[in-house]
Each structure stands twice: as C-alpha cells, then as structure tokens.
C-alpha cells in the first residue's frame, strides 16, 4: 500500500491549493481516504474524508467547512482536497491516509482506524 501526497506549497492568504493523494497497492474504491493535518506545535487533526465507493464526504473542523472540498477519482486511484480562502491558520503538513476497514459505511477522524499514511505535503499560507 502506498499513498503519495502532492500539491502543497506557499500561498498568500485568500488563495487556493489543490492537494492530491495518489494511492496504489489496494482496492482503492473499497476504502475511505482521510485527510489530516498537523500544524507546528499542535496535534494532528482530521480535516476531511471521502468514502470512495459512495462518494460520501465528511469535514471535521468547523473552520474548513465551506472552504475545503474533498473528491475522488476511482479510475485514477486519487483523492483530491480543494482548499479555498486559505488563512495562515491552515498552515500545516497535510497527510492522506487509508481507512483500514474495507467497504466501511462511515468515516471517522480517529487516527488508529487508518492503517496506511502518506509522507505528507507542506502547506504554508502567508498573511
């Protein structure tokens, strides 16, 4: 199982970025993919999740609702996180992770449920 994030970078406040998570080595469509982030000096937190089979999406911090959109392309084994109206508070390393439960019918931000993680991509938002 391999997950590779890309798309991070430096952006000014108010800008946008689209992160990608390319997956391989497992039946991608049968699993949920979560996005997490870890800001400097803070614990990692769940941001969003998509159940690839159904397309059902979840967002956890109130601060990202309405600004972030998660989507998936099962043909490309890739999940995207579109981030708009970015603020300095969004600065963090962003990780994608694969849920360990095949054909799960809900997402969770409980990290121990996720068995495979990418290496992370840095997002820096300047004020």
């Amino acid at each position: 199982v391999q997950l590779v994030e890309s798309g991070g970078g430096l952006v000014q406040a108010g800008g946008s970025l689209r992160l990608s998570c390319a997956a391989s080595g497992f039946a991608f469509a049968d699993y949920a993919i979560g996005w997490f982030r870890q800001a400097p000096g803070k614990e990692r937190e769940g941001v969003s999740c998509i159940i690839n089979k159904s397309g059902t999406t979840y967002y956890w911090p109130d601060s990202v609702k309405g600004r972030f959109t998660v989507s998936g392309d099962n043909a490309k084994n890739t999940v995207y996180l579109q981030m708009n109206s970015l603020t300095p508070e969004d600065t963090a390393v962003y990780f994608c992770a694969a849920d360990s439960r095949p054909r799960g019918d809900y997402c969770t931000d409980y990290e121990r449920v996720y068995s495979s993680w990418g290496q992370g991509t840095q997002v820096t938002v300047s004020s």
Side-chain angles (χ1 to χ4, degrees):
V1 176
Q2 187 175 24
L3 299 168
V4 180
E5 303 96 336
S6 61
L10 174 64
V11 64
Q12 289 188 333
S16 298
L17 284 173
R18 188 176 81 155
L19 306 183
S20 299
C21 173
S24 61
F26 65 105
F28 179 80
D30 283 344
Y31 293 84
I33 300 292
W35 283 99
F36 294 77
R37 67 184 180 185
Q38 187 165 22
K42 295 186 178 180
E43 292 188 355
R44 190 159 57 187
E45 65 172 351
V47 174
S48 183
C49 177
I50 182 168
I51 300 174
N52 285 317
K53 184 170 288 294
S54 65
T56 304
T57 58
Y58 294 73
Y59 303 91
W60 289 296
D62 287 342
S63 62
V64 309
K65 294 177 182 178
R67 299 190 299 123
F68 289 12
T69 302
V70 63
S71 62
D73 186 334
N74 289 341
K76 295 182 178 180
N77 284 7
T78 301
V79 168
Y80 305 97
L81 184 66
Q82 177 68 43
M83 306 186 296
N84 298 328
S85 302
L86 286 162
T87 74
E89 289 67 39
D90 295 315
T91 294
V93 178
Y94 284 72
F95 302 87
C96 64
D99 194 321
S100 62
R101 304 164 299 163
R103 296 176 294 281
D105 57 2
Y106 69 93
C107 275
T108 176
D109 60 347
Y110 184 53
E111 291 188 24
R112 291 193 177 186
V113 166
Y114 295 85
S115 54
S116 300
W117 292 76
Q119 82 289 349
T121 185
Q122 176 70 48
V123 171
T124 303
V125 185
S126 63
S127 58

